[in-house]
Amino acid sequence: MEISWQILQSLEKKYGDSFYILDLRKFENNYQEFLTSFREIYSNSNIGYSYKTNYTPKLCQSVNFMGGYAEVVSQMEYDLAIRIGVHPSKIIFNGPFKLKEDIENAIVAGSIVNLDSSHEVSIVENLAQRLPDEHKISVGLRCNFDVGASNTSRFGFDVEGGELNHAFNTLNQLNNCAVEGIHCHFSTPKRSVESYALRAKKMLELSKFYFQERQPRFIDLGGGFFGKMSEDLRKQFDWPIPSYQEYAQAIAPQFKNQFSQGVGPELILEPGVAIVADVMKFVTKIAGVKTVRSRQLALATGSIQNVKPTLNDKNLLMRIYKNDDFNREKLVGQLDIVGYTCMEHDCLYKGYQGEIGVGDYIVFDNVGAYTTVFKPPFIRSSPPIISYDSAVNEYELIKRRESLEDMFATYVM
Ligand SMILES: Cc1ncc(COP(=O)(O)O)c(C=O)c1O
């Protein structure tokens, strides 16, 4: 993507002083590369794209077009999938909180519903008993086991404590309900290949134990993989950042070996970060500069909420596009780029060394995951998203800037 100060200025004139740029083709390339890494080893692999990571409809539509599942964790996300044309059978409904009617509707519609607790098992039991015996339904179960993380995960059925066993037994006793698959998802800070090798091993053992000669329809290993990173960002981690291929090598051969006779179950992966993080940039402008005692501050038209609303302490990769007005107010040396909110912690970049002046544009990279979905309308409305098509070098608005009416439409005035 060719960017210059002049290009950013012309985009600002059209779309305002801060905006996201989404590279849809890059997303599609990531998706295909991730999937191919697994399919080359174990052909019955597929992706369930994690909607919550970034549910920009254009992205979700492209997943549907490429044959992937919509991985949703709320009725809102489920409804979005249906609204953009996803067939119910291509929706995976996960998450710890699902209403009774949401579970029932999704199961009856033929979606994959991965149950998370015994409360949800009771809902399914009740549904199965109300349906005639010839109306067959199926569900998946989320498994929770030790993957060496410092925290005990709160999701799914405890494998060691017997909860998973109990859920299987309860559901298998029903005439018209089958457990058709097993699911897990863990977020561990290091996202290491070893941890994925362990998840695959554990899930394959569970599959053997619970399904015996009949194999499950799917084994879903969840998401949590690292995505692609520039060298600068990699350096900020004290551990290796695996590639798609390294993850695939840790997982897929185990499936290939266990199911060497014929077609094995569908191996589902649920990447969010891994395929979407590097496909969005955030553009913001420097509106003013000042110095408070020895602290130099450049005020941006964006906020920390636009680039890292989950508040991590890393500096994202960014580039500065300088306004060539020689007389602009500027700072030189060590400085912080701070945001428009009234919060002290609102610092988009700490300790930048160099020159920044009023009218410069700052472009942050790697802001495709957990940004637009997390940012509340705090103090300023959410910025627009512009999609960039590298094939024709064109920009198109795919989410307009929020207006006062949008933000306050749900309040009574
Ligand atoms: C069930 C499930 N699947 C997939 C994901 C996606 O994780 P990530 O964006 O880290 O790949 C999440 C994230 O929390 C999740 O809870």
Side-chain angles (χ1 to χ4, degrees):
M1 184 182 309
E2 195 201 315
I3 299 184
S4 65
W5 188 85
Q6 284 72 17
I7 291 175
L8 294 173
Q9 193 195 34
S10 71
L11 291 173
E12 182 195 349
K13 283 190 181 140
K14 259 175 130 172
Y15 304 114
D17 59 24
S18 55
F19 46 88
Y20 291 95
I21 303 176
L22 167 69
D23 190 337
L24 253 180
R25 275 174 208 266
K26 197 171 186 184
F27 176 75
E28 288 165 2
N29 289 341
N30 284 349
Y31 179 101
Q32 294 297 353
E33 188 186 330
F34 188 94
L35 185 57
T36 305
S37 312
F38 285 82
R39 281 199 176 158
E40 274 177 352
I41 305 167
Y42 184 72
S43 59
N44 198 11
S45 303
N46 207 351
I47 286 181
Y49 171 62
S50 161
Y51 268 36
K52 73 181 125 343
T53 312
N54 184 334
Y55 41 62
T56 303
K58 288 270 184 214
L59 288 173
C60 302
Q61 277 163 326
S62 119
V63 168
N64 193 38
F65 185 71
M66 291 186 286
Y69 289 97
E71 189 269 325
V72 306
V73 290
S74 70
Q75 189 59 34
M76 181 192 80
E77 291 181 359
Y78 190 97
D79 291 341
L80 169 65
I82 296 292
R83 175 98 164 250
I84 62 169
V86 181
H87 192 271
S89 65
K90 296 297 285 186
I91 303 178
I92 302 171
F93 199 168
N94 290 330
F97 178 68
K98 316 175 192 81
L99 294 177
K100 179 172 179 283
E101 58 269 31
D102 301 342
I103 292 179
E104 292 185 352
N105 291 340
I107 290 177
V108 170
S111 304
I112 295 178
V113 179
N114 288 318
L115 307 181
D116 198 82
S117 64
S118 52
H119 164 70
E120 295 190 342
V121 171
S122 308
I123 291 173
V124 175
E125 226 185 327
N126 181 277
L127 170 67
Q129 282 157 0
R130 279 184 284 127
L131 291 172
D133 272 3
E134 40 311 341
H135 191 149
K136 306 285 182 214
I137 58 172
S138 56
V139 291
L141 294 175
R142 179 162 175 174
C143 309
N144 184 327
F145 45 86
D146 187 4
V147 286
S150 49
N151 275 346
T152 301
S153 167
R154 51 179 271 236
F155 303 108
F157 296 89
D158 183 13
V159 171
E160 283 94 20
E163 259 207 56
L164 182 69
N165 214 21
H166 190 252
F168 261 103
N169 288 342
T170 309
L171 293 164
N172 283 341
Q173 274 164 22
L174 301 167
N175 293 329
N176 52 351
C177 179
V179 179
E180 63 170 350
I182 45 176
H183 171 237
C184 73
H185 168 86
F186 301 96
S187 14
T188 51
K190 293 195 177 168
R191 301 168 184 245
S192 70
V193 284
E194 292 76 21
S195 144
Y196 281 90
L198 178 68
R199 290 169 214 200
K201 178 170 175 284
K202 266 307 248 194
M203 291 292 276
L204 287 168
E205 282 168 10
L206 290 171
S207 156
K208 240 186 192 160
F209 182 79
Y210 284 106
F211 292 88
Q212 293 168 7
E213 64 285 355
R214 116 193 132 87
Q215 70 187 27
R217 179 164 88 74
F218 68 86
I219 300 180
D220 182 340
L221 289 192
F225 309 90
F226 270 123
K228 292 177 182 166
M229 279 183 208
S230 66
E231 215 27 59
D232 289 30
L233 194 53
R234 266 170 197 271
K235 278 193 210 141
Q236 295 189 46
F237 292 85
D238 297 330
W239 51 82
I241 308 297
S243 64
Y244 296 168
Q245 291 74 16
E246 285 167 321
Y247 283 126
Q249 276 300 338
I251 296 169
Q254 298 191 55
F255 278 70
K256 193 178 169 180
N257 291 343
Q258 184 146 326
F259 303 105
S260 51
Q261 320 288 325
V263 185
E266 188 172 26
L267 164 60
I268 302 176
L269 296 314
E270 298 174 347
V273 165
I275 57 174
V276 81
D278 68 334
V279 309
M280 258 167 78
K281 296 179 188 299
F282 179 67
V283 180
T284 181
K285 193 179 184 183
I286 298 302
V289 293
K290 71 176 179 182
T291 303
V292 180
R293 291 186 286 285
S294 61
R295 189 177 179 201
Q296 300 202 95
L297 301 152
L299 175 67
T301 55
S303 129
I304 192 168
Q305 297 175 81
N306 298 122
V307 294
K308 42 180 185 177
T310 47
L311 298 185
N312 71 56
D313 55 2
K314 305 240 179 317
N315 276 329
L316 293 175
L317 188 66
M318 59 132 188
R319 279 197 65 180
I320 299 170
Y321 293 84
K322 287 200 175 121
N323 172 4
D324 58 11
D325 173 2
F326 194 71
N327 294 319
R328 80 200 201 288
E329 261 193 283
K330 62 175 190 263
L331 298 169
V332 182
Q334 180 163 319
L335 53 96
D336 292 340
I337 302 172
V338 291
Y340 62 73
T341 74
C342 308
M343 310 304 282
E344 286 288 5
H345 74 252
D346 188 0
C347 182
L348 289 84
Y349 197 101
K350 267 200 177 74
Y352 175 72
Q353 281 286 350
E355 179 189 305
I356 287 190
V358 174
D360 292 356
Y361 292 103
I362 318 285
V363 180
F364 286 91
D365 246 311
N366 262 83
V367 296
Y370 303 105
T371 47
T372 49
V373 290
F374 247 107
K375 187 208 168 288
F378 181 54
I379 300 188
R380 276 190 108 191
S381 61
S382 289
I385 305 176
I386 303 157
S387 151
Y388 171 73
D389 187 339
S390 50
V392 285
N393 196 25
E394 273 176 10
Y395 294 90
E396 180 199 354
L397 184 69
I398 59 166
K399 180 185 189 289
R400 64 169 167 77
R401 184 175 292 280
E402 273 173 8
S403 65
L404 182 82
E405 284 69 34
D406 293 328
M407 287 172 69
F408 293 96
T410 51
Y411 290 86
V412 175
M413 298 222 202

